[in-house]
Amino acid sequence: MLKAICMKTIDLYQPLGIDLQPYFGWNLEGDSKRQTAYEIRMAFSKAELDDGRLIWMSGKVISSSMRNIPCGRRMDSRERAWWQVRIYDEEDIAGPWSDPVSFEMGLLEKGDWTAKWITGDYTPEVRQKYPADEFRKIFTVPEGKVVSARLYMTACGCYETFLGGKRVGDFVLAPGTTSYDVRVQYQTYDVTKMVSAGENTWDITLGDGWFRGKMGAFGASCVYGDTTSVLGQLEIAMEDGTTLTVVTDDGFSWSNDGPVRFDDMKDGEDVDMNCEPSYYAKAKVSSYGGIVCASNNVPVTEHEHFTPKLILTPDGSQVLDFGQNLAGIIEFTVKGEKGQRLGLKFGEMLDENGNFTVRNLITEDTTPPHIPDYCDDTRFQSMNFICSGGRDHYKSRFTVYGFQYVKLTDWPQPVDPALFEAIAVYSDMDMLMEFSCSSEGVSRLVKNTLWSIKGNHLDVPTDCHTRERSAWLGDAQLFFETGCYFVDQAAFYRKWLRDIYDDQAPDGKVYNIVPHCADHSGMNAYVEGSSGWTDAGILIPYRYWKQYGELSALENNYEGMQKLASFMVSRMGDTSDPELDEKLPDSPWRKYIVTTGFHFGEWNEPDTDIMAVMAPKYEVATAYLAYSLSCMEKIALALDKQKDAEEYAALASKVKAAYCHYFVPEGGIKSDRMCEYVRPLALGMIMDPDTAGKAASDLNQLVIRRNYHVGTGFLSTPFLLPVLSQYGYHDTAYRMLLCEEYPSWLYEVNQGATTVWENWDGIASRNHYSNGAVCQWIFEYMCGIRMDAPGHYRIAPISSELLEDAHASYLSPYGKVSCGWKRDADGFTYTVGIPAGCSAELELPDGRSEELTAGSFSFHVSQA
Ligand code: BGC
């Protein structure tokens, strides 16, 4: 029999306040082999589910599908429902009903909101910073029992809210980040236990957040506006059937004289523990022109806690070392003199002398001439704290720092490190991967990659949580498939895909960073639409659909993707470059080469001059155009748009032929850059198998000549080892992974890295997940786990004499799959686990192949 477990509604556990019509998913447990049918039933309450007072029944549906099962009843605002499912197996035997789970709809109609947007009673100067706003309303709940209460809340800024003095919910930096010009997302909280008959107090503190805080490499501030505002609606259902609705309006009192004197996403906070809000004035009603919607996403919450060691550095500073580089907040207790000023500065490293530094994140001079004047100086990741004279306790509220080290200034002596904690903050996605192997370095690299995921998934995927804190599309697209193995990205990326297309430019490009704002990155518009970055608008929905099977990711964005493809196509064949004839001699193929646009290219290829980024990138851009068009063909086919598919396929093959004409000459590619072999092989540019084989063999030789040092930058690093393995050069791939000399993955591990570095030498950000994309090879080749169709895996581990053992288990969208191997006296023993209801094709290194159904298996391969 089979039973459904891990039941989710719109990819979330028991979500509250969603505004997507629900769809369901589950995994299975039990000893039968296959799901052949399912049956769902749904009711307004658990009791009604038990009594059979149902609001929807699917009936028995013949299907092996365990994901994206649409709810057959249209749900209205505020409706809560419970559902359960039972599964029929290969013998048509029905298993037990699953445990029931619930979901609740949010406010679906504009008219559901009676709350008004409110702001502080002051008129902000353009691009100025102000203390956090404090709002308060005292309201009375009539006599009687509160049966249920919900608070719906959002802001242009970041809010914390309190009922009866207690913090509501655990969302850090609510409401998260979106393109505020277009939409804001609200949270829904169950506050039933936080309100009761009699007088109640509702407080809100409003900080700058992404809306008014500094953003991007150069710290542009107020990119979405100068005036922060908040919207909240509290609905209290009483036992007698009446509902009391309390809303934000000018009935709130306001002041900005509370303890948070300054707050900024990038600069940090100033806190004065002597300040208490007086609420001396009234809130002003304001307005918002964008869409107010539910986030339908996992919340951003607090996670691991770390206590530090205190070190005295050679320059005489007191520095806390938390032992782990992370994005998060700090909590501490301190007793100083009344009015005593203390300082904290957050950074990722110590310099060669052992002193605290932030030089890897920010240059001494923050206003060089190339930085536009709308960008502001940044004091960068610092906190100023004024003591009350008593024992003060503080936890950061309106910022997140990227740090392992904190330098203390003017701290009351002696400093007790036990009074500090660092708390990691990230989007609360399910953790899916367990990995171990006999190389400590490789095990640490996998851990470091997970820490860089944790450090860069804060409602959107960011490049780093220090210097830029920006959701760069290139980083996200090149890492997406690796990320799928580590965390459940389904809800997180569904939300971000919406952000991407919210921000699409009129000419069809999607911006390099989303949420986008013209001033956001401090970069000129001409860099926008870089190949490998803008393509994320096609590549991520395509990969998302393959991973999670949600066709809606393609349907909802198809029009946008078509416009993006047209934008990319429009960059072919421009001949205005006066040196074009020299670079690309004229031929009938030249019109298919992308000759315009700025492209970042490999980014951080070892030992290349940073100015190389300015050179034209015909090869990169043309390869990405062909590849994205091929994906568009598959997307169109999935959506049953045959004609579109044929057009994309025809154009893709011309672009590929043009690519080969110019970049894969007869006699083979002649380059000393690894990316120029890896890219055409990985993106399917080379049609002729012999030519492709020669390119792979030449790549293999190049890697060996370079002593297995990594030679690729962002775009090609994820493909490097997979391409070597696809052509049978497993040993080279292993040696490259295990190489410890610069540049290599283990070089940074041996330097004590606890996250993945942006550059191979660690001179810049030390928390960029991109180069951790090598973990995809570790899972798919070393451990041989790959999901090749819904509920089906290809298990093909590649063991190596260079290691004793390796093992991975992965909680895939269809259940936990595992594979590992161990060297013994005469060969290797492989162990495999296939989840209930799933199957796999096993391929062992000795050529043996077998179809597996659910269960645990062990195989031995003797060495020849
Ligand atoms: C970021 C990257 C990003 C890149 C564009 C950098 O400054 O940190 O991760 O993709 O710019 O090349």
Side-chain angles (χ1 to χ4, degrees):
M1 283 203 296
L2 293 170
K3 184 180 175 198
I5 52 168
C6 300
M7 294 157 64
K8 292 188 179 179
T9 306
I10 66 158
D11 305 305
L12 299 165
Y13 292 112
Q14 315 229 48
L16 204 60
I18 57 174
D19 64 4
L20 278 179
Q21 284 300 319
Y23 52 87
F24 305 129
W26 55 82
N27 293 166
L28 297 173
E29 66 178 17
D31 48 15
S32 303
K33 295 291 176 214
R34 270 182 315 121
Q35 168 184 313
T36 53
Y38 66 80
E39 191 178 347
I40 300 175
R41 61 186 191 187
M42 192 165 93
F44 279 136
S45 71
K46 256 190 195 174
E48 291 177 8
L49 202 55
D50 291 342
D51 297 354
R53 281 177 284 153
L54 304 178
I55 53 171
W56 175 60
M57 274 182 298
S58 68
K60 182 175 169 186
V61 179
I62 307 295
S63 166
S64 60
S65 186
M66 303 176 221
R67 289 183 62 81
N68 312 314
I69 313 290
C71 169
R73 180 185 184 279
R74 203 183 155 74
M75 301 299 290
D76 289 329
S77 291
R78 306 180 181 86
E79 280 185 336
R80 181 181 181 83
W82 292 80
W83 66 276
Q84 57 186 173
V85 57
R86 68 174 167 187
I87 307 297
Y88 293 77
D89 68 8
E90 65 276 12
E91 284 170 15
D92 206 28
I93 296 174
W97 285 101
S98 67
D99 300 333
V101 290
S102 69
F103 66 91
E104 184 176 305
M105 304 306 288
L107 305 181
L108 307 188
E109 309 297 332
K110 233 179 165 178
D112 289 326
W113 288 93
T114 49
K116 303 218 159 35
W117 284 87
I118 55 170
T119 181
D121 187 16
Y122 65 108
T123 308
E125 301 279 319
V126 175
R127 282 190 22 234
Q128 288 307 308
K129 301 287 282 181
Y130 295 89
D133 294 300
E134 306 278 0
F135 300 93
R136 168 166 286 181
K137 188 178 226 179
I138 298 183
F139 61 95
T140 305
V141 175
E143 277 313 304
K145 193 175 161 221
V146 170
V147 285
S148 136
R150 295 288 182 267
L151 175 62
Y152 305 94
M153 192 134 187
T154 187
C156 286
C158 279
Y159 72 85
E160 278 187 354
T161 191
F162 306 83
L163 285 167
K166 285 209 184 89
R167 168 109 190 262
V168 175
D170 56 1
F171 200 121
V172 184
L173 298 174
T177 173
T178 48
S179 261
Y180 292 93
D181 304 333
V182 182
R183 74 171 74 232
V184 289
Q185 51 188 12
Y186 64 85
Q187 283 72 46
T188 304
Y189 303 99
D190 180 352
V191 292
T192 312
K193 298 208 171 89
M194 301 181 86
V195 284
S196 53
E199 199 174 87
N200 289 259
T201 307
W202 179 7
D203 294 330
I204 303 167
T205 309
L206 180 63
D208 287 359
W210 290 270
F211 184 85
R212 189 163 72 175
K214 289 180 187 167
M215 314 265 277
F218 307 122
S221 70
C222 303
V223 293
Y224 293 105
D226 299 306
T227 307
T228 51
S229 54
V230 62
L231 178 80
Q233 182 158 310
L234 173 60
E235 298 183 352
I236 306 170
M238 306 297 294
E239 203 172 25
D240 63 4
T242 57
T243 300
L244 172 70
T245 304
V246 188
V247 297
T248 49
D249 57 13
D250 56 7
F252 265 81
S253 43
W254 167 87
S255 65
N256 62 357
D257 48 6
V260 181
R261 309 308 303 149
F262 170 96
D263 67 275
D264 190 86
M265 294 298 286
K266 193 162 176 176
D267 283 2
E269 287 181 322
D270 288 351
V271 173
D272 185 344
M273 297 305 276
N274 301 289
C275 297
E276 280 269 349
S278 64
Y279 306 106
Y280 67 84
K282 273 175 68 166
K284 283 197 301 195
V285 168
S286 63
S287 63
Y288 172 72
I291 303 164
V292 177
C293 67
S295 62
N296 304 319
N297 192 6
V298 289
V300 176
T301 49
E302 294 178 10
H303 294 269
E304 296 87 344
H305 290 230
F306 295 88
T307 43
K309 280 193 316 222
L310 177 68
I311 44 184
L312 186 65
T313 55
D315 64 1
S317 305
Q318 287 183 309
V319 174
L320 302 172
D321 175 0
F322 287 92
Q324 173 64 52
N325 195 12
L326 55 88
I329 55 178
I330 192 159
E331 183 168 9
F332 58 86
T333 303
V334 65
K335 186 172 175 340
E337 299 294 319
K338 187 173 176 59
Q340 189 178 346
R341 288 164 186 271
L342 318 178
L344 303 94
K345 179 97 183 160
F346 298 76
E348 291 187 312
M349 63 181 280
L350 303 179
D351 67 14
E352 50 291 344
N353 302 316
N355 293 320
F356 176 91
T357 180
V358 289
R359 71 165 184 220
N360 62 317
L361 302 170
I362 195 152
T363 48
E364 290 296 308
D365 179 5
T366 55
T367 51
H370 67 281
I371 296 182
D373 64 3
Y374 54 73
C375 293
D376 302 304
D377 279 355
T378 171
R379 68 184 213 191
F380 192 63
Q381 299 212 131
S382 340
M383 177 174 190
N384 298 311
F385 187 83
I386 304 181
C387 303
S388 70
R391 204 174 147 84
D392 292 321
H393 183 82
Y394 190 73
K395 178 153 90 171
S396 328
R397 296 173 66 187
F398 294 109
T399 194
V400 161
Y401 306 100
F403 67 106
Q404 170 172 345
Y405 299 96
V406 179
K407 180 172 160 181
L408 303 175
T409 41
D410 304 322
W411 213 266
Q413 298 298 316
V415 172
D416 179 0
L419 297 179
F420 294 83
E421 271 197 343
I423 306 170
V425 169
Y426 49 87
S427 285
D428 193 19
M429 297 176 288
D430 276 359
M431 299 288 141
L432 309 177
M433 169 60 58
E434 278 168 32
F435 172 81
S436 64
C437 79
S438 56
S439 156
E440 254 177 59
V442 173
S443 302
R444 183 71 232 188
L445 171 68
V446 174
K447 264 199 200 119
N448 290 0
T449 305
L450 179 58
W451 268 106
S452 281
I453 293 173
K454 292 174 176 179
N456 284 296
H457 282 73
L458 208 146
D459 215 33
V460 290
T462 55
D463 59 334
C464 57
H465 233 280
T466 45
R467 187 188 67 219
E468 302 189 28
R469 301 158 178 247
S470 301
W472 283 92
L473 270 72
D475 307 40
Q477 76 79 5
L478 68 88
F479 194 78
F480 179 83
E481 288 175 306
T482 312
C484 284
Y485 285 103
F486 280 99
V487 287
D488 181 358
Q489 304 182 140
F492 183 91
Y493 268 90
R494 181 182 54 218
K495 179 257 174 199
W496 193 51
L497 278 175
R498 185 177 66 185
D499 296 339
I500 289 179
Y501 279 101
D502 270 355
D503 268 345
Q504 187 166 28
D507 66 1
K509 74 163 86 73
V510 299
Y511 291 106
N512 292 334
I513 297 172
V514 171
H516 169 76
C517 183
D519 300 347
H520 189 142
S521 63
M523 286 184 208
N524 294 329
Y526 91 98
V527 305
E528 289 296 355
S530 164
S531 286
W533 273 253
T534 200
D535 317 50
I538 292 169
L539 304 182
I540 295 181
Y542 173 66
R543 292 169 182 163
Y544 184 101
W545 163 64
K546 281 185 34 184
Q547 171 72 12
Y548 301 113
E550 289 176 27
L551 203 60
S552 56
L554 305 181
E555 286 162 350
N556 297 345
N557 301 308
Y558 188 63
E559 217 177 291
M561 288 191 269
Q562 282 189 299
K563 275 170 69 181
L564 171 57
S566 304
F567 162 76
M568 289 167 69
V569 168
S570 74
R571 300 193 293 191
M572 298 188 314
D574 181 287
T575 49
S576 54
D577 177 352
E579 290 166 24
L580 197 67
D581 283 338
E582 216 175 293
K583 291 177 195 152
L584 300 175
D586 198 11
S587 87
W589 295 113
R590 195 165 73 178
K591 60 175 184 275
Y592 298 109
I593 299 293
V594 177
T595 45
T596 54
F598 169 89
H599 308 287
F600 286 109
E602 275 302 293
W603 191 251
N604 287 334
E605 188 172 338
D607 305 323
T608 44
D609 175 5
I610 178 89
M611 290 322 282
V613 79
M614 302 308 293
K617 310 270 183 345
Y618 304 149
E619 182 267 320
V620 180
T622 305
Y624 272 88
L625 172 62
Y627 182 57
S628 291
L629 289 171
S630 305
C631 293
M632 282 304 288
E633 178 204 348
K634 293 177 192 130
I635 291 167
L637 283 176
L639 296 177
D640 229 4
K641 295 177 189 292
Q642 303 293 339
K643 195 167 154 285
D644 291 358
E646 279 160 26
E647 281 172 20
Y648 287 124
L651 188 52
S653 73
K654 286 190 182 121
V655 179
K656 282 182 193 174
Y659 180 96
C660 287
H661 177 82
Y662 284 107
F663 307 116
V664 191
E666 251 175 67
I669 300 166
K670 298 262 169 313
S671 172
D672 57 359
R673 295 178 68 203
M674 292 181 193
C675 63
E676 292 186 354
Y677 300 87
V678 172
R679 189 171 6 263
L681 289 168
L683 301 187
M685 294 297 114
I686 311 176
M687 292 298 142
D688 172 45
D690 292 340
T691 312
K694 165 134 182 41
S697 150
D698 291 346
L699 170 68
N700 181 49
Q701 289 306 323
L702 176 60
V703 171
I704 294 171
R705 273 202 311 279
R706 295 267 196 90
N707 291 326
Y708 304 98
H709 294 177
V710 178
T712 45
F714 271 27
L715 287 181
S716 297
T717 297
F719 301 133
L720 181 55
L721 302 194
V723 158
L724 286 167
S725 270
Q726 274 154 29
Y727 287 88
Y729 302 111
H730 303 303
D731 188 63
T732 308
Y734 265 103
R735 287 180 195 279
M736 221 171 181
L737 177 71
L738 295 172
C739 174
E740 299 188 14
E741 287 162 16
Y742 166 84
S744 70
W745 288 282
L746 295 194
Y747 172 78
E748 64 189 50
V749 168
N750 291 343
Q751 304 290 306
T754 58
T755 38
V756 178
W757 294 352
E758 176 179 15
N759 306 62
W760 297 103
D761 52 10
I763 57 158
S765 147
R766 296 202 161 195
N767 201 353
H768 254 68
Y769 52 66
S770 305
N771 288 336
V774 67
C775 292
Q776 190 176 350
W777 181 87
I778 295 177
F779 305 143
E780 292 187 355
Y781 290 89
M782 181 189 285
C783 297
I785 298 176
R786 194 178 308 190
M787 193 174 78
D788 59 359
H792 190 271
Y793 308 90
R794 184 171 171 270
I795 305 291
I798 307 288
S799 45
S800 165
E801 290 293 332
L802 298 169
L803 293 182
E804 293 293 317
D805 59 71
H807 186 270
S809 79
Y810 162 47
L811 182 54
S812 79
Y814 303 91
K816 194 184 250 188
V817 53
S818 62
C819 182
W821 48 265
K822 198 171 170 41
R823 192 140 55 96
D824 52 35
D826 68 331
F828 290 90
T829 300
Y830 301 83
T831 47
V832 178
I834 305 299
C838 297
S839 54
E841 182 198 343
L842 172 78
E843 246 179 65
L844 291 172
D846 62 354
R848 222 182 316 165
S849 110
E850 237 176 85
E851 265 298 316
L852 303 178
T853 50
S856 302
F857 308 89
S858 169
F859 305 89
H860 189 263
V861 173
S862 303
Q863 235 144 5

